[in-house]
Amino acid sequence: MEKISLTTTAHNCFFTSTLPKTSSFSSSLFASNQLLGLPLSSSSSSSSASTNPRLRLVSRNAASCRTVKCSVSEAAEPLTERRQLKRRGDVRNIAIVAHVDHGKTTLVDAMLKQTKVFRDNQFVQERIMDSNDLERERGITILSKNTSVSYHDTKINIIDTPGHSDFGGEVERILNMVEGILLVVDSVEGPMPQTRFVLKKALEFGHSVVVVVNKIDRPSARPDFVVNSTFELFIELNATDEQCDFQVIYASGIKGQAGLSPENLAEDLGPLFESIIRCIPGPRIDKDGALQMLVTNIEYDEHKGRIAIGRLQAGVLEKGMDVKVCTSEDSCRYGRVSELYVYDKFSRVPAESVEAGDICAVCGISDIQIGETIACKVSGKPLPSIKVEEPTVKMAFSINTSPFVGREGKYVTSRNLRDRLYRELERNLAMKVEDGETADTFIVSGRGTLHITILIENMRREGYEFMVGPPKVINKKVNDKLLEPYEIATVEVPEEHMGAVVELLGKRRGQMFDMEGVGSEGTTLLKYKIPTRGLLGLRNAILTASRGTAILNTIFDSYGPWAGDMSTRDQGSLVAFEDGTSSSYAIASSQERGQVFIGPGVDVYKGQIVGIHQRPGDLSLNVCKKKAATNIRSNKEQTVILDTPLDYSLDDCIEYIQEDELVEVTPQSIRMCKNPKLQKKTR
């Protein structure tokens, strides 16, 4: 009996078996599927499997558990370029990308601990990569950060990225520095809006992808569904056949375990590290070529000045070297590298020279900007600059004009405000700043309200005092038609609150296009296409409608036709009509008119918003009125019971205000007031 060798491909993995040669190919296919543990009843099934991506996917899932060898699929390139460029085998540059709260930073923690970055007896706080105060308070990643680990003589440069769509500019920027990504997906939620965004960008760059199904230890985990959904997402985003052959790793970041099947996890993250080394290629470099390095990030040090971070594309960079800094072919200037650092474990380590393919930090060029190229002084040429998507929301910043100006802030003038806003542009590529209609007004545009709110919070902590107007969407006109930005909103809500949430989104011109059950907790996932205008102020309203149980996620989709007028707030404001100090006597009568923001003994000024009116339209009232002291004695002392005042954060205030209102931001206080320039007639 003659023998033939049959090779079956799944997840970039090859299995070879020796089978009897028969007249029918379907019988050998049947035998190979038995080898992989896949049922296949007839030849008709085999023909449908080749055309149906769902069936194709089932075979991929089963095969992923038995990975033997991982091949790196490379795109076809001209032979001349292939001869010049070589791959470094001792370095891997990866970015960890995912939707918010899918466990990126926790996974990086486990990778750092298991590669002995820290001593065994060293105290290490959770989410060590979230080093910013704001990141720790909010529990989110805002800025992308670099670190590196060593695994079996291979240096792995890891970049932790933000998960919120508002900080998508950070992700777009760092994808220039890496050759592959770890796409982390929650084992229950599956691919979410930001997963789609970051994966789309990575596929456009042609990067290799390793899919990590994280939180596999959750009780309602559904790994098969998640891998199927991820594969469908690859197909939707027009991934190549090589990119669709992704490796799947199942992991629990908090336990520090990973494996090739959900039921059989190793004691550590070894399978994950092995997959990174096998499935993500080393950097393709031109070692003997002219120096080229694209600056993708900037940090600032009080002693060293501006520090440029990027990956060396070609040549060798040495400490003390004279270089050329290029923005385009025509505009170049010269500088010198005073200090040179590489990332080793959790810190920057001085280096005398850096070879192409590694990520390094350069000091000494005081005016370096993101997107510029550090090149050879003699024959250097610039690399293509970084492009990020346009902002969709804008807000007006102006100097503080309230009677309390200068009480708490250190920087209060328009010159201070202007310098700080334009300095933000040097690092924040997705943000834009323009001068407003007056000399003391500036228009700041960003990816979303959270993107701009983080800037406001940082400025407030630095001692700035200013006012901001309500967020507005940035519209476009194409062929005399008004277009506005639309976003994809996904809402996870328990079934008992679904009716209230659907009604709320319908009022804001949202169109539902998908609804499905999630996990075993009785939660429903709603997907809407909704104008960005409808999302302004939606987060608090949706939490109220669902009693705090709904989770809202959004991502920019596209520009579409103007959806028409919509009302985002049904209630008016309670406005103080004189300066003074609030009293419990006055607040007791004021709280019958609505909910108040202040307690007794608080300084207020005329025009300040002190509460929410229970009806439409604003109501002016006196919160400083004191009880008249007369000679008439009452038989009984009246006890005043005051409601707990509403405690609104900066995000809540920005969501609350409307066209004729402003938020006053100072280092210690956040107040809301009516805009004196747009003062409407109050009741």
Side-chain angles (χ1 to χ4, degrees):
M1 186 166 53
E2 201 176 355
K3 303 280 185 180
I4 62 166
S5 179
L6 176 68
T7 304
T8 306
T9 307
H11 275 264
N12 292 343
C13 308
F14 299 99
F15 304 87
T16 304
S17 75
T18 305
L19 300 170
K21 185 176 180 181
T22 62
S23 57
S24 169
F25 175 73
S26 61
S27 61
S28 60
L29 183 62
F30 176 81
S32 71
N33 277 284
Q34 279 190 323
L35 175 70
L36 297 174
L38 301 176
L40 191 63
S41 58
S42 67
S43 57
S44 61
S45 303
S46 66
S47 62
S48 63
S50 61
T51 56
N52 189 338
R54 275 284 189 188
L55 292 179
R56 211 174 118 202
L57 187 58
V58 173
S59 63
R60 292 165 46 83
N61 289 344
S64 68
C65 308
R66 305 172 178 80
T67 304
V68 178
K69 179 188 172 187
C70 193
S71 70
V72 177
S73 305
E74 299 177 11
E77 295 170 22
L79 287 174
T80 53
E81 188 178 347
R82 193 180 286 274
R83 285 193 204 101
Q84 290 178 359
L85 301 180
K86 296 179 180 178
R87 285 211 182 272
R88 277 188 72 173
D90 59 337
V91 174
R92 298 290 185 275
N93 298 319
I94 62 166
I96 299 188
V97 298
H99 188 79
V100 62
D101 282 341
H102 280 199
K104 297 180 298 298
T105 307
T106 307
L107 186 65
V108 174
D109 277 4
M111 294 172 77
L112 289 169
K113 286 173 185 171
Q114 292 192 17
T115 49
K116 302 297 181 186
V117 170
F118 310 109
R119 298 190 314 274
D120 292 339
N121 63 345
Q122 185 174 348
F123 171 74
V124 181
Q125 56 193 0
E126 285 186 0
R127 301 195 322 275
I128 191 166
M129 293 295 283
D130 287 345
S131 52
N132 187 311
D133 289 342
L134 262 180
E135 292 179 323
R136 295 209 153 274
E137 287 171 23
R138 291 173 178 254
I140 60 174
T141 304
I142 297 170
L143 303 171
S144 56
K145 299 174 200 68
N146 300 49
T147 188
S148 82
V149 299
S150 294
Y151 183 79
H152 291 180
D153 301 326
T154 302
K155 180 181 180 182
I156 304 174
N157 287 309
I158 302 171
I159 305 174
D160 186 24
T161 64
H164 278 85
S165 57
D166 288 34
F167 309 116
E170 289 280 317
V171 182
E172 289 176 78
R173 208 154 37 94
I174 61 92
L175 286 176
N176 285 281
M177 298 166 65
V178 298
E179 283 76 39
I181 64 166
L182 292 190
L183 183 70
V184 182
V185 186
D186 188 285
S187 65
V188 176
E189 295 178 355
M192 296 292 281
Q194 182 69 358
T195 314
R196 182 189 187 93
F197 172 78
V198 294
L199 180 59
K200 178 185 173 188
K201 294 295 174 188
L203 294 177
E204 286 173 2
F205 276 92
H207 291 332
S208 304
V209 181
V210 173
V211 175
V212 180
V213 180
N214 198 22
K215 304 185 183 181
I216 198 67
D217 51 339
R218 286 181 65 175
S220 53
R222 41 183 191 165
D224 289 344
F225 167 81
V226 170
V227 176
N228 284 10
S229 304
T230 307
F231 181 64
E232 287 176 356
L233 181 59
F234 271 75
I235 294 172
E236 280 179 40
L237 296 175
N238 298 321
T240 63
D241 290 346
E242 291 86 0
Q243 288 170 329
C244 285
D245 264 344
F246 53 82
Q247 173 75 49
V248 177
I249 296 291
Y250 302 91
S252 169
I254 199 159
K255 290 182 178 178
Q257 294 179 313
L260 297 170
S261 71
E263 301 84 15
N264 187 21
L265 297 185
E267 291 299 314
D268 55 15
L269 293 175
L272 176 61
F273 286 116
E274 291 290 343
S275 298
I276 291 171
I277 291 172
R278 284 199 315 266
C279 301
I280 293 178
R284 182 176 278 123
I285 59 165
D286 185 3
K287 186 176 179 181
D288 301 323
L291 171 68
Q292 278 185 317
M293 172 182 153
L294 183 67
V295 178
T296 49
N297 205 350
I298 286 205
E299 291 181 9
Y300 186 80
D301 186 275
E302 291 182 2
H303 305 291
K304 300 180 179 67
R306 293 168 78 84
I307 303 172
I309 300 169
R311 189 189 71 177
L312 204 59
Q313 305 276 8
V316 177
L317 185 60
E318 296 176 353
K319 182 179 175 181
M321 190 176 184
D322 290 326
V323 294
K324 184 161 64 173
V325 181
C326 305
T327 49
S328 64
E329 291 286 356
D330 301 326
S331 86
C332 291
R333 60 191 187 280
Y334 296 95
R336 170 170 287 192
V337 178
S338 62
E339 298 281 345
L340 190 59
Y341 297 90
V342 292
Y343 288 88
D344 184 26
K345 297 183 177 177
F346 200 64
S347 57
R348 279 198 295 258
V349 178
E352 291 298 319
S353 66
V354 177
E355 290 186 2
D358 208 348
I359 294 174
C360 63
V362 177
C363 307
I365 306 170
S366 59
D367 55 351
I368 191 79
Q369 301 283 349
I370 291 175
E372 293 185 332
T373 303
I374 297 175
C376 174
K377 186 178 180 181
V378 180
S379 58
K381 292 182 180 179
L383 291 160
S385 60
I386 302 169
K387 293 180 181 177
V388 295
E389 291 189 2
E390 293 293 310
T392 56
V393 174
K394 62 183 178 181
M395 290 171 69
F397 284 53
S398 61
I399 59 168
N400 191 358
T401 54
S402 81
F404 297 164
V405 60
R407 284 192 181 185
E408 300 169 4
K410 184 178 176 184
Y411 307 107
V412 295
T413 65
S414 60
R415 181 175 58 82
N416 296 140
L417 185 60
R418 178 191 174 89
D419 290 348
R420 175 63 181 84
L421 290 175
Y422 278 95
R423 198 163 68 242
E424 182 69 18
L425 295 183
E426 295 174 359
R427 191 190 144 70
N428 207 329
L429 282 191
M431 194 170 277
K432 290 186 177 179
V433 177
E434 302 165 351
D435 292 338
E437 296 175 356
T438 59
D440 55 8
T441 306
F442 307 94
I443 307 298
V444 179
S445 308
R447 284 285 186 82
T449 49
L450 180 64
H451 190 198
I452 304 176
T453 302
I454 294 296
L455 168 65
I456 295 170
E457 185 65 45
N458 280 325
M459 290 174 64
R460 175 184 169 219
R461 295 181 183 207
E462 291 166 15
Y464 287 84
E465 199 173 290
F466 53 97
M467 285 182 160
V468 294
K472 300 176 184 176
V473 298
I474 300 173
N475 299 320
K476 286 183 179 179
K477 266 203 168 182
V478 178
N479 298 330
D480 293 330
K481 288 184 180 179
L482 185 62
L483 304 179
E484 66 174 332
Y486 280 76
E487 303 203 17
I488 300 295
T490 60
V491 186
E492 281 184 61
V493 61
E495 288 178 3
E496 60 265 27
H497 302 303
M498 193 170 71
V501 170
V502 168
E503 182 185 2
L504 182 64
L505 289 163
K507 284 181 181 176
R508 292 173 177 252
R509 308 279 181 176
Q511 294 181 337
M512 186 194 296
F513 64 86
D514 192 16
M515 179 172 70
E516 60 184 45
V518 178
S520 57
E521 296 103 343
T523 304
T524 305
L525 184 70
L526 307 173
K527 293 186 180 179
Y528 276 82
K529 185 172 182 178
I530 184 170
T532 304
R533 276 185 306 140
L535 293 171
L536 303 178
L538 179 63
R539 203 169 294 271
N540 273 339
I542 217 165
L543 285 172
T544 304
S546 65
R547 300 191 179 181
T549 56
I551 300 171
L552 172 68
N553 290 297
T554 60
I555 188 87
F556 173 73
D557 181 51
S558 60
Y559 273 82
W562 178 261
D565 295 329
M566 67 177 74
S567 172
T568 56
R569 199 176 88 192
D570 299 328
Q571 297 164 306
S573 299
L574 300 177
V575 184
F577 68 61
E578 70 172 20
D579 300 353
T581 305
S582 61
S583 67
S584 56
Y585 175 73
I587 289 174
S589 57
S590 299
Q591 67 188 18
E592 296 172 5
R593 307 285 188 176
Q595 297 172 290
V596 292
F597 295 137
I598 60 169
V602 177
D603 290 340
V604 297
Y605 55 83
K606 182 179 179 180
Q608 182 177 335
I609 296 172
V610 294
I612 304 173
H613 193 202
Q614 60 193 7
R615 293 187 177 89
D618 297 335
L619 177 66
S620 294
L621 41 76
N622 188 355
V623 291
C624 305
K625 182 171 61 175
K626 292 181 173 59
K627 189 176 181 180
T630 63
N631 287 332
I632 300 170
R633 300 285 184 268
S634 61
N635 293 330
K636 181 185 174 187
E637 281 294 324
Q638 290 183 343
T639 54
V640 177
I641 299 174
L642 299 180
D643 296 335
T644 304
L646 289 175
D647 184 18
Y648 265 26
S649 66
L650 176 61
D651 303 68
D652 297 331
C653 290
I654 287 172
E655 277 198 0
Y656 175 81
I657 59 173
Q658 288 193 317
E659 188 68 33
D660 63 333
E661 296 166 349
L662 297 169
V663 177
E664 178 192 352
V665 180
T666 69
Q668 295 171 26
S669 311
I670 297 169
R671 307 181 190 93
M672 290 179 284
C673 64
K674 304 303 285 187
N675 188 344
K677 297 175 184 175
L678 301 172
Q679 189 68 53
K680 291 182 180 177
K681 187 178 180 182
T682 56
R683 289 177 57 191

